[in-house]
Amino acid sequence: MDEALIRSLTPGVLTVLVRRGADFAAAEDAVQDALVEAVRGWPDDPPRDPKGWLVTVAWRRFLDASRADTARRRREDRVEEEPAPGPASGVDDTLQLYFLCAHPSLTPSSAVALTLRAVGGLSTRQIARAYLVPEATMAQRISRAKRTVSGVRFDRPGDVATVLRVLYLVFNEGYSGDVDLAAEAIRLTRQLAASVDHPEVAGLLALMLLHHARRAARTAPDGSLVPLAEQDRGRWDTASIAQGVRILQAALARDRLGEFQAQAAIAALHADAPTAGETDWVQIVEWYDELARLTDNPVVRLNRAVAVGEADGPRAGLAELATLDDTLPRHTAVAAYLHERDGDLDTAARLYAEAAHKAPDLAERDHLVRQAARLNSRHRHGR
């Protein structure tokens, strides 16, 4: 069995059934039944038209389920309308599926799970492992999401921005279990970029590629975090960086700036610097200004304070930081870093320890604890 082929065909087959009138939940169940049949039969007798085979079998499974359900008796008239077996349509309806899975009635976690299942073609078990939750829990989440969007019809264009937010959430989950969600998000965003001509889709794809290019250098052999300034840039994926920059440049040339393009521009400036000391922080601050104008996001302003501290000195960064809410995530860690840059090691050590208690995950907590210990050690040794 070619798993990559199956996953690439699944969303198209599902969309065909939905377009024919099947509600989403019933269509998804029918497609899963067809995939089970494919696993059983294809190794010995592969079809000439895999998508057409899946559409035919899934549609028959849907009709069988409709006949058996008395509450859906009204659908029996579709039996006479069953299309004759033959080559499947070459039209790519996957974009419609993206909009359905990112429906505003769904919670972000449900939208992500449904996207991975329906568009990504992942099994419930794979998604559960990626999110480190029991399979039964994930199955319930997906079932609720399917019921929520059942009956939804597309009588107006979907919201691309909502789809992009869902894909960005998938990307930020990174890697856990047996599924690399960052790589999966890149694959799905490439697929979306092939379906819709939108500069922000290109901007998100560029951003993902530029961030993912640094993945190998982000952790030490013992699993500890390596800050950007200390990463071995020789381990960065230069091919992904070059591709991300090309995609970004083409998007920016259309003069329809969005937040993902601005984020990608910042990532590109980091990737372009041969060393941390050669980073163009002045231009990064300018891009953060654009990003703040587009989003008015306090986290963006927090990151901008770091950039100002690099471009204009730590005291300028601390002045920017003083204008922000000190309950913001990572505010204390940023304050610690800027105080260290300003030479106030006692304050920095205290703030690093305080930030460690607020860290959102174990890896970041351990990194901040090490930073505090490093400064305390220097203080004890007279430096």
Side-chain angles (χ1 to χ4, degrees), residues 69 73 91 167 189 197 233 238-239 245 254 259 315 321 364 372:
D69 190 343
R73 192 68 65 181
V91 176
L167 290 173
T189 306
D197 183 21
R233 298 182 179 223
T238 54
V245 169
R254 300 178 64 176
E259 62 176 293
R315 294 194 179 182
L321 192 64
E364 186 169 337

Side-chain angles (χ1 to χ4, degrees), residues 250-335:
L252 291 175
R254 300 178 64 176
D255 199 25
R256 289 170 55 195
L257 184 64
E259 62 176 293
F260 288 120
Q261 294 170 72
Q263 288 188 55
I266 293 168
L269 287 167
H270 283 298
D272 186 55
T275 66
E278 296 173 86
T279 304
D280 189 346
W281 286 105
V282 172
Q283 194 173 168
I284 287 176
V285 171
E286 292 173 356
W287 276 111
Y288 271 121
D289 289 339
E290 291 287 349
L291 191 54
R293 180 181 61 80
L294 289 165
T295 67
D296 194 29
N297 186 325
V299 175
V300 169
R301 296 188 182 280
L302 184 68
N303 291 330
R304 181 184 179 278
V306 177
V308 169
E310 299 289 354
D312 300 329
R315 294 194 179 182
L318 286 167
E320 291 289 333
L321 192 64
T323 66
L324 303 176
D325 184 350
D326 61 8
T327 63
L328 279 172
R330 297 187 172 87
H331 184 285
T332 307
V334 170

Side-chain angles (χ1 to χ4, degrees), residues 178-190:
D178 59 353
V179 178
D180 184 340
L181 289 179
E184 182 65 16
I186 291 172
R187 184 184 75 84
L188 293 176
T189 306
R190 285 190 193 279

Side-chain angles (χ1 to χ4, degrees), residues 71-84:
R72 299 174 185 175
R73 192 68 65 181
R74 69 184 186 280
R75 292 180 180 153
E76 288 193 345
D77 58 357
R78 295 194 185 113
V79 174
E80 301 302 323
E81 300 172 8
E82 178 182 351

Side-chain angles (χ1 to χ4, degrees), residues 14 24 28 32 97-98 100-103 106-131 133-146 149 165-167 169-171 173 179 181 184 188:
L14 179 54
F24 183 87
E28 212 271 340
Q32 293 302 315
L97 209 54
Y98 275 98
L100 184 64
C101 294
H103 196 269
L106 295 173
T107 65
S109 61
S110 294
V112 167
L114 197 59
T115 298
L116 290 172
R117 174 66 181 258
V119 186
L122 298 181
S123 69
T124 303
R125 176 176 296 180
Q126 286 175 311
I127 301 170
R129 286 178 177 173
Y131 281 88
V133 298
E135 185 176 350
T137 299
M138 185 56 68
Q140 290 175 352
R141 184 180 301 174
I142 292 172
S143 294
R144 285 195 299 268
K146 285 160 59 176
V149 300
R165 297 231 171 273
V166 169
L167 290 173
L169 286 172
V170 175
F171 180 79
E173 290 298 329
V179 178
L181 289 179
E184 182 65 16
L188 293 176

Side-chain angles (χ1 to χ4, degrees), residues 172-257:
N172 285 333
E173 290 298 329
Y175 176 84
S176 57
D178 59 353
V179 178
D180 184 340
L181 289 179
E184 182 65 16
I186 291 172
R187 184 184 75 84
L188 293 176
T189 306
R190 285 190 193 279
Q191 192 178 59
L192 180 62
S195 302
V196 60
D197 183 21
H198 195 295
E200 272 293 82
V201 177
L204 179 58
L205 179 57
L207 176 63
M208 289 179 174
L209 290 169
L210 290 163
H211 278 317
H212 204 53
R214 302 200 301 262
R215 175 172 169 170
R218 281 201 188 99
T219 54
D222 64 359
S224 60
L225 292 179
V226 180
L228 176 61
E230 300 171 19
Q231 288 177 12
D232 178 0
R233 298 182 179 223
R235 299 184 65 195
W236 290 359
D237 183 347
T238 54
S240 290
I241 290 172
Q243 185 180 32
V245 169
R246 284 196 304 271
I247 293 170
L248 173 63
Q249 288 173 337
L252 291 175
R254 300 178 64 176
D255 199 25
R256 289 170 55 195
L257 184 64

